[in-house]
Amino acid sequence: MTHMDFDALVALLRRIFQSNGTSATVADILARNCASAERDGAMSHGLFRMAGYVATLRSGWVDGRVQPRMEEGGASFLRVDAANGFAQPALAAAAPLAIEKARATGACVIAIRHSHHFAALWPDVEPFAQQGLVAIAMVNSMAYVAPPGARHPVYGTNPLAFAAPRADGRIVVFDQAVSVLAHGDVQIAARDGHLLPPDAGVDASGQATRDPRAVLDGGALLPFGGHKGAAIALMIEIMAAALTGGLFSHEVDWSAHPGAQTPCTGQCLILIDPARGGSAAGFANRVEQLVTALHDAGQERMPGDRRLAARARALRDGIPVSADMLRQLEGLIAP
């Protein structure tokens, strides 16, 4: 095991992306996104994902060089056509105007379509909260989740992320899939030979299973909370696909591109300027009061605290990367 400086890891990942056909801008955004996930201990969206990124680029399923196109949707609405590119560069291009709209009108909806999202969702919302805004993000993915009573998967794991400012420059942030587990966690369990938690998935015949390979081989994940999680998945399909003009999870078809792994769907973000609210004490102070009440009640850890602790360790000691993973990464650099 070696410990890598964040910038050194970004440089390696940037080289991998560029050698496999992305522009320098896209390579930098994706490299920082992936390295940030690894730095923060979000392993299912960190270095583990690099082989999937490369396989997708080499398959021709995604365009790593395309420029996203901004479309005016109104005073508080911004449409973005990612043009079959990655979602993060599309969001990066839209963010300055979206923030301007949110400051001017109190809120802004960002509707991104024709976009590939293969990463954690918290990096999409965290920067907005650091600038004093409330941010909500939703993205649908490929059909891996079967709602209660369904014969086959219809929804994606459809993560939902939320971030808001706290006092003293801190933020509260969470990112969670509607499925019991993220799809990447199932892949890691299959790789490492671990069982899934009970009631996490079904096999191809619809029978409950804890075998991750059975879930991946024609089975499906299940939504958390049964019909309640399925209802949230439904909302995200509507907001991330129907509203934006993207594909529903069950419409994604990459059969003509062997090796493709990134879903081309849609993403919806909602930015809110909390200064427009009615809190006389100040929004961030009110959030801090709630956090204090939760701690007083016995909740020791807030959402995001574990990641932030991992980030602090990594920035102090370096990001741990195994020798085997380092060899795999170096092997992804195209000649």
Side-chain angles (χ1 to χ4, degrees):
M1 186 72 70
T2 187
H3 287 75
M4 296 187 67
D5 175 77
F6 178 78
D7 290 336
L9 182 57
V10 169
L12 173 58
L13 302 187
R14 188 190 298 123
R15 184 180 174 196
I16 293 170
F17 281 118
Q18 280 196 266
S19 72
N20 283 280
T22 74
S23 68
T25 299
V26 170
D28 187 68
I29 291 171
L30 294 183
R32 291 184 181 280
N33 186 285
C34 188
S36 295
E38 191 73 16
R39 175 200 64 197
D40 288 12
M43 303 306 185
S44 64
H45 290 89
L47 301 182
F48 165 77
R49 292 284 192 183
M50 287 301 297
Y53 274 118
V54 169
T56 301
L57 285 162
R58 292 177 180 177
S59 75
W61 169 245
V62 64
D63 189 337
R65 294 184 175 277
V66 71
Q67 293 282 341
R69 296 188 290 270
M70 293 325 117
E71 301 171 354
E72 186 63 53
S76 298
F77 207 106
L78 180 60
R79 296 193 304 269
V80 186
D81 184 354
N84 198 42
F86 290 103
Q88 291 89 344
L91 177 58
L97 180 55
I99 292 172
E100 181 181 319
K101 285 176 174 286
R103 300 277 191 221
T105 69
C108 181
V109 175
I110 310 171
I112 304 174
R113 66 186 188 278
H114 302 153
S115 58
H116 294 250
H117 203 291
F118 198 51
L121 203 53
W122 57 262
D124 293 5
V125 295
E126 192 173 279
F128 295 112
Q130 290 169 339
Q131 295 191 55
L133 298 175
V134 175
I136 303 168
M138 294 161 274
V139 61
N140 65 319
S141 56
M142 52 281 199
Y144 278 125
V145 176
R151 294 185 297 275
H152 54 77
V154 178
Y155 300 139
T157 54
N158 291 14
L160 172 71
F162 172 86
R166 293 170 54 182
D168 301 322
R170 292 174 291 178
I171 65 172
V172 58
V173 57
F174 70 79
D175 171 9
Q176 62 185 49
V178 298
S179 49
V180 174
L181 293 174
H183 186 253
D185 289 327
V186 180
Q187 292 174 304
I188 290 176
R191 181 195 67 187
D192 296 344
H194 298 156
L195 292 176
L196 302 180
D199 303 319
V202 294
D203 61 21
S205 64
Q207 298 301 308
T209 182
R210 297 185 64 190
D211 181 356
R213 296 191 180 278
V215 172
L216 295 172
D217 187 17
L221 284 165
L222 297 175
F224 71 84
H227 66 278
K228 294 182 179 181
I232 297 174
L234 171 64
M235 176 194 72
I236 293 172
E237 291 284 344
I238 292 170
M239 294 293 288
L243 178 67
T244 67
L247 293 175
F248 290 121
S249 297
H250 72 273
E251 293 176 324
V252 175
D253 181 9
W254 49 33
S255 58
H257 299 271
Q261 296 185 33
T262 62
C264 183
T265 53
Q267 182 176 11
C268 178
L269 293 96
I270 301 171
L271 307 182
I272 301 170
D273 182 358
R276 301 300 188 98
S279 176
F283 177 82
N285 289 330
R286 288 293 287 158
V287 173
E288 197 63 34
Q289 290 170 17
L290 177 58
V291 171
T292 299
L294 291 168
H295 286 318
D296 290 345
Q299 181 174 333
E300 296 181 358
R301 180 166 60 86
M302 290 296 297
D305 281 357
R306 183 165 56 185
R307 283 192 301 96
L308 293 175
R311 181 183 304 178
R313 287 193 302 271
L315 293 177
R316 182 187 66 234
D317 303 328
I319 301 169
V321 181
S322 70
D324 182 60
M325 175 57 74
L326 195 56
R327 283 192 297 269
Q328 290 180 42
L329 293 174
E330 291 169 346
L332 294 174
I333 300 172

